[in-house]
């Protein structure tokens, strides 16, 4: 048991070193001031890591292994296969400019948002990462558009241009927090370094923005992976052999069930929300499907008009959450986690696609808050 656990620890130590932003997200803060090596040499090092550990873990026999150890070994092998796929087939870094925005945000935001260490410690890591932004983006510029068979995606490039100012906002927020907390131990001494790193990072981001505007003119890719590559990515993402066709088939079943329930409820509450108007019928609408569609659309629109104003959405959700927690506790419905939940607007660098999202702390970050983010309508 101890021997296998030691090998898992060795695997994780090396993984955290090669993927420092992932380490931060997981809650290992040994490499919080570092970025992954996005050069060709860095890719070769990561692939060598995959080769070596696939060989070692794949050679481990089932005999002498506990069920938990066999599961852990297979999970690690699955993760290694996904890493190889990312580095050799998917190659998102060559065509997905948006991924670099998410990498920058993922490297800076958790250090500011989660209080897993004193502010000075976290700001020191922020300063180190800001000092590394220029070489990181230099590697990004070399990689984007480097594979003729995988041209940059126009959608991803245009979205990256929209989201990039959100990274500048994070940089500015780091400096503002340091200035506001200059009386805390170690912060004042760090401030000159942080400000200099912020200037360097902001300048590098501005240069990357210019590069992206030029890249947009050369972004002939459409961002879709195609049937075969999508199937491979789906398998590695879900760690399952479930196919896209199977997911679509199940989704259609679920859609029909949910839609039927929406129709039932809309009919039931029609007179409450649409007073004085007759319920649409097949005769009045031309068909039953049209009547159902009109019924659901009318009721949901009426409910929508009764919602709180957009600028009050966060406070409304905070109040609702408090009511939900109190209801669950008073009625002993389910256990409520002890970890705090912070409801707020989505950080600007994440605002393009998701209307709302849950950002939980990593498994190694004990007692840290979970964020529930809502994108401004």
């Amino acid at each position: 048991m101890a021997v296998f656990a030691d090998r898992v620890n060795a695997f994780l130590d090396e993984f955290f070193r090669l993927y420092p932003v992932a380490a931060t997200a997981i809650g290992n803060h040994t490499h919080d001031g570092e970025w992954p090596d996005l050069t060709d040499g860095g890719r070769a090092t990561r692939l060598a890591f995959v080769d070596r550990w696939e060989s070692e873990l794949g050679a481990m026999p089932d005999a002498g292994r506990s069920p938990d150890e066999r599961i852990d070994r297979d999970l690690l092998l699955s993760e290694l296969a996904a890493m190889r796929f990312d580095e050799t087939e998917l190659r998102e870094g060559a065509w997905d400019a948006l991924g670099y925005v998410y990498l920058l945000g993922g490297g800076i935001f958790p250090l500011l948002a989660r209080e897993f260490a004193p502010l000075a410690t976290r700001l020191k890591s922020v300063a180190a990462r800001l000092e590394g932004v220029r070489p990181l983006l230099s590697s990004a510029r070399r990689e984007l558009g480097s594979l003729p068979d995988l041209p940059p995606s126009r959608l991803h490039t245009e979205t990256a241009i929209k989201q990039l100012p959100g990274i500048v906002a994070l940089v500015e927020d780091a400096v503002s927090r340091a200035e506001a907390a200059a009386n805390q131990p170690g912060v004042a001494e760090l401030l000159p370094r942080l400000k200099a790193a912020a200037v360097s990072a902001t300048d590098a981001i501005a240069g990357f923005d210019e590069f992206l505007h030029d890249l947009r003119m050369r972004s002939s890719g459409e961002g879709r992976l195609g049937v075969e590559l999508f199937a491979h990515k789906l398998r590695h993402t879900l760690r399952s052999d479930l196919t896209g066709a199977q997911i679509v088939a199940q989704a259609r079943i679920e859609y029909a069930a949910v839609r039927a329930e929406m129709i039932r409820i809309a009919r039931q509450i029609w007179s409450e929300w649409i007073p004085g108007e007759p319920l649409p019928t097949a005769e009045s609408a031309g068909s039953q499907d049209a009547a159902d569609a009109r019924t659901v659309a009318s009721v949901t629109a009426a409910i929508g008009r009764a919602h709180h104003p957009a600028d009050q959405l966060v406070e409304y959700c905070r109040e609702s959450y408090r009511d939900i927690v109190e209801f669950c506790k008073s009625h002993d419905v389910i256990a409520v986690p002890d970890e705090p939940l912070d409801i707020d607007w989505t950080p600007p660098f994440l605002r393009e696609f998701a209307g709302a999202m849950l950002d939980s702390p990593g498994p190694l970050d004990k007692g840290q808050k979970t964020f529930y983010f809502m994108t401004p309508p």
Side-chain angles (χ1 to χ4, degrees):
M1 177 76 74
V3 173
F4 180 77
D6 290 343
R7 296 313 295 152
V8 171
N9 288 336
F11 172 93
L12 290 175
D13 286 343
E14 191 173 357
F15 173 85
F16 291 147
R17 179 174 59 80
L18 294 175
Y19 296 88
V21 174
T24 298
I26 290 169
N28 178 289
H29 299 291
T30 307
H31 305 282
D32 277 354
E34 304 167 18
W35 295 107
D37 183 353
L38 300 185
T39 65
D40 290 341
R43 180 180 301 108
T45 298
R46 290 189 293 274
L47 284 172
F49 166 82
V50 172
D51 288 340
R52 185 162 21 86
W53 280 101
E54 277 187 337
S55 177
E56 178 175 338
L57 294 170
M60 288 183 178
D62 287 347
R65 300 271 167 248
S66 70
D68 284 348
E69 288 178 339
R70 292 197 296 270
I71 291 171
D72 287 345
R73 178 202 59 196
D74 292 345
L75 284 172
L76 291 179
L77 285 170
S78 176
E79 183 67 26
L80 288 165
M83 292 162 62
R84 183 185 298 280
F85 169 74
D86 288 341
E87 298 283 0
T88 61
E89 294 185 61
L90 191 58
R91 293 295 300 274
E92 284 183 297
W95 55 268
D96 177 10
L98 184 59
Y100 295 103
V101 178
Y102 290 155
L103 177 63
L104 289 168
I108 300 170
F109 176 76
L111 302 178
L112 299 174
R114 289 205 162 86
E115 299 175 355
F116 55 83
L119 181 61
T121 301
R122 292 182 284 123
L123 288 176
K124 183 177 179 181
S125 296
V126 172
R129 278 194 170 152
L130 293 183
E131 290 165 348
V133 166
R134 188 177 299 278
L136 180 80
L137 292 182
S138 293
S139 295
R141 292 165 79 155
R142 286 193 297 271
E143 180 70 4
L144 281 166
S146 62
L147 300 178
D149 293 338
L150 291 171
S153 159
R154 178 175 289 273
L155 171 64
H156 290 73
T157 302
E158 291 177 344
T159 306
I161 292 171
K162 294 178 185 177
Q163 300 299 89
L164 199 56
I167 304 302
V168 176
L170 285 178
V171 176
E172 294 171 345
D173 183 40
V175 175
S176 297
R177 292 194 188 199
E179 291 175 335
N183 60 338
Q184 293 188 24
V187 175
E189 296 87 337
L190 180 64
L191 197 50
R193 178 189 175 190
L194 181 64
K195 286 184 175 180
V199 170
S200 174
T202 301
D203 181 66
I205 292 169
F208 190 60
D209 180 67
E210 293 180 5
F211 167 80
L212 290 180
H213 278 84
D214 176 68
L215 182 71
R216 178 172 57 181
M217 306 305 295
R218 299 180 282 113
S219 294
S220 59
E222 57 177 22
R224 294 190 293 184
L225 301 181
V227 174
E228 183 176 352
L229 196 58
F230 178 81
H232 291 171
K233 182 174 183 179
L234 185 67
R235 185 176 70 252
H236 289 300
T237 300
L238 300 182
R239 304 295 194 267
S240 166
D241 290 328
L242 193 66
T243 67
Q246 290 171 320
I247 293 173
V248 169
Q250 184 61 39
R252 287 181 172 141
I253 294 172
E254 295 294 332
Y255 170 84
V258 171
R259 183 66 174 171
E261 186 67 358
M262 290 177 69
I263 293 168
R264 185 190 69 79
I265 294 173
R267 288 173 179 166
Q268 180 178 318
I269 64 176
W270 174 269
S271 59
E272 175 185 352
W273 289 97
I274 317 292
E277 292 188 24
L279 184 68
T281 63
E283 291 75 16
S284 65
S287 70
Q288 189 59 52
D289 285 345
D292 292 340
R294 186 177 300 176
T295 300
V296 171
S298 299
V299 171
T300 53
I303 294 172
R305 289 190 292 270
H307 280 180
H308 285 64
D311 61 353
Q312 298 177 22
L313 183 60
V314 165
E315 186 53 40
Y316 166 71
C317 288
R318 288 170 179 166
E319 293 174 1
S320 298
Y321 174 67
R322 287 192 287 269
D323 291 343
I324 291 168
V325 169
E326 179 56 34
F327 180 87
C328 289
K329 288 182 175 179
S330 63
H331 290 75
D332 195 25
V333 178
I334 57 173
V336 178
D338 294 329
E339 289 79 10
L341 179 70
D342 192 335
I343 301 175
D344 210 340
W345 296 119
T346 304
F349 77 95
L350 289 173
R351 287 184 181 178
E352 191 61 27
F353 295 121
M357 68 186 75
L358 195 70
D359 182 12
S360 301
L364 302 182
D365 268 333
K366 302 301 182 183
Q368 292 299 305
K369 67 179 67 173
T370 291
F371 293 101
Y372 180 72
F373 291 131
M374 292 170 294
T375 298

